[in-house]
Amino acid sequence: MSSTTTRPSSPVPPSLSGAAPYVAPQYLTGSTVELLRDWYHGEPVRPLHLRDFLRPEFVTDLAAAMRAIPTWSRHAATYEGRLGKTEFWDEEVDEQDEVTIAQFVVKDIHALLDEGAMDVAHQRTLQEFFVFSVLSDALRDWISSGTGLVLRKHTTMELAAYRRSDALGAHQDLVPGRVLAVNFYLDEEYTPEAGGRLAFRNGEDEEFFVEPVFNSVSLMPIREDCWHWVEPFTRDAVGRYTIAMGQHLEGS
C-alpha cells in the first residue's frame, strides 16, 4: 500500500486548479504531479492510496449524504468469464448459496437528485461531487496532470456499502478503454478491525492492500495481468461507504 502526503506550495499548477474547491491543498502542488507520474509510470504496478484527500468540510457533508441515501438495494453477482456476470437483487440475494459479489448499491444514482428524493442539502452535496468527478474536468485533469492519460467524460460510478461478510471476489474490470479505478472512502466510523481492504495483485504476483480509511482515495491501474478484490467486511453495522469510478481513455 502506498500512502503519501505532500507539502503545500503556491501557486496551484493550472492542471490542478479545477480541483481546488474539492481537493485538500496538500494535493494541489507540483509535488502531486510528480507523485502521480512516478506512481503510474513506475514499478511495481500497484494502487496509490492518498489520505485526507478531500477538503474537510466537503467530505463531512459527502459522508452524511451517503448515509442518508434512502434507496440502498441489496446486490449480489456471480462472474461469468472476464466480463460477464449474473446479478441478483434484494430478496433474491439471500437465496444464493455462493456469490462473488455481495454489497449494497444504489440502482439509480440520477434519481437521487429528483425533487423530494432526499434532503435538499444532501442532494446539493451529491450534485457538487458529480460536478467535481464527472460533469467538469476537475478530477480528470487532476489525474491526467501526472499520469499523462487523456480521459473521456464517460465514466462509470457505483455507490456501495457493506455489512458483515460482504466482499468482492477477485476480478479484473477489463472493460474496453478502462485504465483506472478510483475509489473514494467515506465511512468515518471505519477502523482496520472491520476488514474490507482493497487487495491488488500485479503481474509479478506482488500483492498490495489498501485500508478504506475515511477521506482517503485509491487509484488503481486496470491492466491485463492485474487482479483486485475486496476482503470480507467484518462489522455488523452497514459501513465501508464507497464511491467507485471507472476512468476510460479518450477515443476508446
Side-chain angles (χ1 to χ4, degrees):
M1 177 180 70
S2 175
S3 180
T4 311
T5 56
T6 57
R7 294 182 180 180
S9 63
S10 179
V12 175
S15 58
L16 306 182
S17 61
Y22 314 98
V23 173
Q26 64 264 34
Y27 295 115
L28 300 171
T29 70
S31 295
T32 300
V33 177
E34 296 174 7
L35 170 66
L36 289 168
R37 182 182 63 239
D38 292 346
W39 160 70
Y40 189 73
H41 297 286
E43 296 291 341
V45 178
R46 67 199 190 282
L48 179 67
H49 188 210
L50 305 175
R51 294 176 181 249
D52 302 318
F53 183 71
L54 296 173
R55 288 184 174 271
E57 63 279 9
F58 182 47
V59 75
T60 297
D61 290 345
L62 187 57
M66 289 284 283
R67 288 186 177 277
I69 289 172
T71 54
W72 290 105
S73 295
R74 193 76 181 132
H75 175 247
T78 56
Y79 288 117
E80 299 167 351
R82 294 172 61 171
L83 293 177
K85 63 182 178 182
T86 299
E87 297 187 276
F88 308 97
W89 294 96
D90 300 318
E91 293 82 4
E92 294 180 335
V93 172
D94 294 331
E95 300 172 3
Q96 308 309 312
D97 294 328
E98 189 172 339
V99 295
T100 43
I101 293 175
Q103 59 186 175
F104 293 92
V105 298
V106 177
K107 283 186 179 181
D108 188 349
I109 295 175
H110 296 93
L112 296 176
L113 302 183
D114 290 345
E115 184 176 357
M118 58 186 300
D119 178 82
V120 173
H122 293 319
Q123 285 182 319
R124 187 162 51 246
T125 298
L126 291 173
Q127 190 167 29
E128 280 189 63
F129 182 82
F130 298 155
V131 169
F132 161 58
S133 60
V134 180
L135 301 177
S136 76
D137 291 320
L139 178 60
R140 287 184 290 274
D141 285 349
W142 185 90
I143 295 170
S144 299
S145 67
T147 65
L149 296 170
V150 180
L151 302 172
R152 60 185 171 119
K153 280 185 177 290
H154 170 74
T155 63
T156 60
M157 179 183 290
E158 180 181 78
L159 276 55
Y162 294 70
R163 71 182 182 193
R164 180 176 291 275
S165 79
D166 283 355
L168 301 185
H171 60 289
Q172 293 179 288
D173 285 347
L174 294 178
V175 176
R178 186 174 299 179
V179 289
L180 285 179
V182 181
N183 302 294
F184 295 87
Y185 302 115
L186 299 165
D187 181 359
E188 63 270 46
E189 297 179 4
Y190 176 84
T191 61
E193 293 76 20
R197 295 187 303 177
L198 171 69
F200 178 89
R201 183 172 66 245
N202 64 23
E204 303 300 321
D205 283 333
E206 298 170 294
E207 293 188 352
F208 302 86
F209 299 89
V210 172
E211 290 180 346
V213 296
F214 178 62
N215 194 17
S216 66
V217 65
S218 64
L219 286 76
M220 183 180 64
I222 303 298
R223 302 189 185 182
E224 286 275 350
D225 59 349
C226 296
W227 293 76
H228 60 277
W229 60 98
V230 173
E231 296 179 324
F233 193 64
T234 61
R235 201 172 71 207
D236 289 329
V238 175
R240 201 189 185 278
Y241 291 94
T242 307
I243 300 178
M245 304 183 64
Q247 301 291 337
H248 302 79
L249 285 178
E250 184 66 60
S252 62

